[in-house]
Amino acid sequence: MLPRSTGRFTRSGLLVNKLRYYCDGFTEEYLTGGDCVVSYSPDDVSRVWLLDQGGYIEFKLIESRYEGKSLQTVEELKELQTVLERYKTEYELLAY
């Protein structure tokens, strides 16, 4: 059984574990927002499944650079990106 988490509908997609997902037919939810329950695989963030009236609806990852990666790997990549951006800012300040 896959773990469950709370997702949030936003204008930029279904937000789960700080990643954005999309499925046709949910325009109203994207516009109005709101929380929902989703299942996900920590081994592959490519898809999540919205629990809806006893069934599951598949949502696909919008950010393709994380396709096929584990949740842990994605978190590490995001942390590395933050560190790189911080170093870039410091470097730019020193350059002037």
Side-chain angles (χ1 to χ4, degrees):
M1 184 161 182
L2 296 175
R4 292 184 179 177
S5 183
T6 300
R8 176 168 295 223
F9 284 103
T10 69
R11 290 184 182 268
S12 60
L14 175 60
L15 192 62
V16 180
N17 296 322
K18 300 180 182 176
L19 295 168
R20 298 177 306 130
Y21 294 86
Y22 179 79
C23 179
D24 287 334
F26 285 85
T27 304
E28 185 69 28
E29 287 83 354
Y30 297 135
L31 293 174
T32 59
D35 293 342
C36 60
V37 177
V38 297
S39 287
Y40 66 95
S41 170
D43 298 325
D44 185 355
V45 299
S46 302
R47 292 170 176 72
V48 297
W49 294 269
L50 171 70
L51 274 68
D52 184 47
Q53 299 176 5
Y56 293 92
I57 300 171
E58 182 181 64
F59 280 68
K60 295 182 181 178
L61 184 66
I62 292 173
E63 299 153 296
S64 61
R65 65 180 170 234
Y66 301 126
E67 190 83 28
K69 295 184 174 39
S70 71
L71 184 57
Q72 181 178 351
T73 299
V74 170
E75 289 170 350
E76 291 169 358
L77 288 170
K78 286 187 171 198
E79 179 61 31
L80 181 59
Q81 181 67 33
T82 301
V83 170
L84 290 172
E85 288 173 6
R86 190 176 321 127
Y87 282 134
K88 178 183 177 233
T89 301
E90 289 176 12
Y91 177 78
E92 288 173 348
L93 289 173
L94 291 174
Y96 292 108

